[in-house]
Amino acid sequence: MFSKFFEPDSIAIVGASSKPLKVGHELLKNVIDGGFQGRIYPINPGAEEILGLKCYPSILDVKEPVDLAIIVVPAQAVPNAIKQCGEKGTKAAVIISAGFSEIGNKGLEEEVVKVAKQYGVRIIGPNCTGIINTHKNLYATMESRAGKGDIAFVTQSGALGGAVLAWAIEKRIGLSKFASYGNGCDVDESDLLNYLAEDPQTKVINLYIEGVKNGRKFFEAARNVTKKKPLIVIKGGLSTAGARSVASHTGSLAGKEAIYRTVFKQSGIIEADGIEEMFDMARALAYLEPMKGNKVAILTNSGGPAVLATDALEKLGLKVPEPTERIIKALDFLPPICSRRNPFDLTAEGSPENYVRAFRAIFSEDYYDAGLIIDVPIAWDARGATEAARLLKEAIKEVGKPTVTCWMSGHLVRDAVTVFEENKIPNYETPKRAARALWALCSFKREVEK
């Protein structure tokens, strides 16, 4: 069933508009500009052509089959639009339109659900911003078009989803699927999680929720996901004031913090504290193998950031243990001013060549489970940071242990960070963020083994 949502061969935009800046216009334009290769049918009884495509009075006037309907008509017209989808044989509909339970209009939403069940139509929405499948060039939303990747993002809040899509483009983070499900009158977060659990293009699932209507269903879906791939969740509405906001936003009940935390722990969910942290962890989990243990080796050219990294790792329950005598001996080539203890501090001797030799020496035996490499370049030697990244990318691949980097200093390391990104080596701007990403790699391993 969900293939009709995310892999349709044909789409109807019910409520397409010829007026720029109208939702029906911008959504249709996004589908076209996104490069969707299937058939696109604008539906509007008052237009003959929109954006170069023939327009139809209703979906029933389209002679060919229609797999997916995107509905952007006023709320009162939605029940009839769903009825016509059912009569047409279109079994998947995304309702962008708002004006339902989120403003207290539960009766109209119940009517939509009743009609949909009568005709066997499945619904995402209402009050949502649409769906994306980057691998199908499907951008059935008026939001930004993210690039292809391995991370799925499911959100109860459409506006937050739009902001995340724009942010992901800026940070060059690719997505596999995106779904804004709004009020979730039919298809809910649990249904989407079960679909994405089987999706071969998705390695990690990110989820933003404000409340769930069926706790048992959500728990079972989460358990199903975490047996196969990581699930990272942000729960909105944990505070008293936040719970009030949730009720007025999507009409959901936020629930008590302790209950959600228990469900998260028992189902293997990794909880994130904000969007940035969610995607920090998701990149590590999508690009790297889980850690086999909790021992981390830190390689740096600056003592301060290494101390911060050590504190952050230890606070999260990871270890930064001293090396074995064999590793210490393998580091004999380093000048006396360098530290052969963990953290391994190359100081000003942190040349690109020394970084690579030291990294290989540290992992010359199977002792450490993961690596964190930190670089703080001198202002006049940014090229050295880039060269170190170029050399390390090969060493990291050959060593085969999950390794993240922390190339600091903003614009000075921009080219170096690009090297890491192109080779799916996660780089983080601060030691604390890098530590949290490693914690996720270790945490997911523990959940998988349960």
Side-chain angles (χ1 to χ4, degrees), residues 35-63:
F36 179 67
Q37 296 299 304
R39 298 179 298 278
I40 306 170
Y41 303 108
I43 308 297
N44 185 326
E48 295 185 0
E49 181 182 293
I50 301 177
L51 293 173
L53 297 177
K54 179 183 176 181
C55 201
Y56 297 83
S58 83
I59 195 170
L60 297 173
D61 294 304
V62 179
K63 295 181 180 180

Side-chain angles (χ1 to χ4, degrees), residues 65-355:
V66 177
D67 292 331
L68 173 65
I70 311 296
I71 298 175
V72 292
V73 297
Q76 294 296 332
V78 170
N80 186 56
I82 292 296
K83 177 177 179 292
Q84 291 184 343
C85 286
E87 293 172 345
K88 174 64 181 174
T90 301
K91 300 300 184 182
V94 177
I95 303 175
I96 306 295
S97 314
F100 297 89
S101 63
E102 79 279 2
I103 61 168
N105 199 351
K106 295 182 180 180
L108 183 59
E109 189 165 298
E110 289 170 356
E111 182 183 353
V112 170
V113 172
K114 181 179 178 180
V115 173
K117 286 184 177 179
Q118 181 181 349
Y119 287 93
V121 179
R122 298 303 306 272
I123 294 171
I124 292 178
N127 183 34
C128 72
T129 57
I131 60 175
I132 291 173
N133 179 356
T134 62
H135 296 272
K136 183 78 173 179
N137 290 329
L138 170 63
Y139 295 92
T141 172
M142 59 275 200
E143 305 293 354
S144 302
R145 297 192 299 271
K148 292 182 177 66
D150 309 311
I151 302 168
F153 183 53
V154 176
T155 175
Q156 194 166 4
S157 168
L160 177 67
V164 168
L165 287 172
W167 178 83
I169 292 171
E170 180 183 344
K171 298 295 182 181
R172 290 178 287 190
I173 298 173
L175 300 181
S176 57
K177 306 289 191 299
F178 167 85
S180 159
Y181 64 94
N183 296 0
C185 74
D186 176 25
V187 173
D188 59 16
E189 68 291 321
S190 301
D191 299 315
L192 291 165
L193 290 180
N194 282 323
Y195 163 71
L196 291 169
E198 307 301 327
D199 179 31
Q201 295 161 343
T202 297
K203 293 183 179 179
V204 180
I205 303 172
N206 285 349
L207 170 67
Y208 170 78
I209 56 171
E210 295 176 352
V212 297
K213 297 176 182 178
N214 188 325
R216 171 54 60 179
K217 182 182 178 184
F218 175 74
F219 176 78
E220 291 175 353
R223 285 289 293 166
N224 178 42
V225 170
T226 58
K227 290 176 183 177
K228 302 168 184 177
K229 58 188 69 173
L231 171 58
I232 306 172
V233 174
I234 296 175
K235 170 65 177 73
L238 291 176
S239 67
T240 301
R244 290 200 306 270
S245 298
V246 165
S248 64
H249 182 204
T250 56
S252 300
L253 296 176
K256 293 184 178 180
E257 178 179 358
I259 295 174
Y260 277 96
R261 290 268 157 77
T262 299
V263 169
F264 291 171
K265 183 176 181 180
Q266 291 180 352
S267 62
I269 286 172
I270 299 172
E271 186 177 4
D273 183 19
I275 296 297
E276 185 175 70
E277 182 175 276
M278 168 182 275
F279 278 90
D280 279 352
M281 295 192 293
R283 286 189 296 133
L285 288 161
Y287 302 161
L288 307 175
E289 293 296 319
M291 290 171 58
K292 294 181 179 179
N294 67 350
K295 299 192 295 293
V296 180
I298 301 173
L299 177 60
T300 183
N301 69 345
S302 178
V307 171
L308 293 175
T310 302
D311 288 345
L313 288 165
E314 293 277 348
K315 187 175 182 180
L316 291 166
L318 279 70
K319 302 299 180 184
V320 186
E322 295 286 18
T324 64
E325 290 301 320
R326 179 178 173 182
I327 292 174
I328 294 173
K329 185 173 180 58
L331 291 167
D332 274 349
F333 69 91
L334 291 175
I337 64 170
C338 299
S339 171
R340 294 168 179 77
R341 300 290 180 177
N342 194 13
F344 303 92
D345 189 354
L346 301 179
T347 67
E349 301 297 327
S351 66
E353 293 74 21
N354 277 353
Y355 260 119

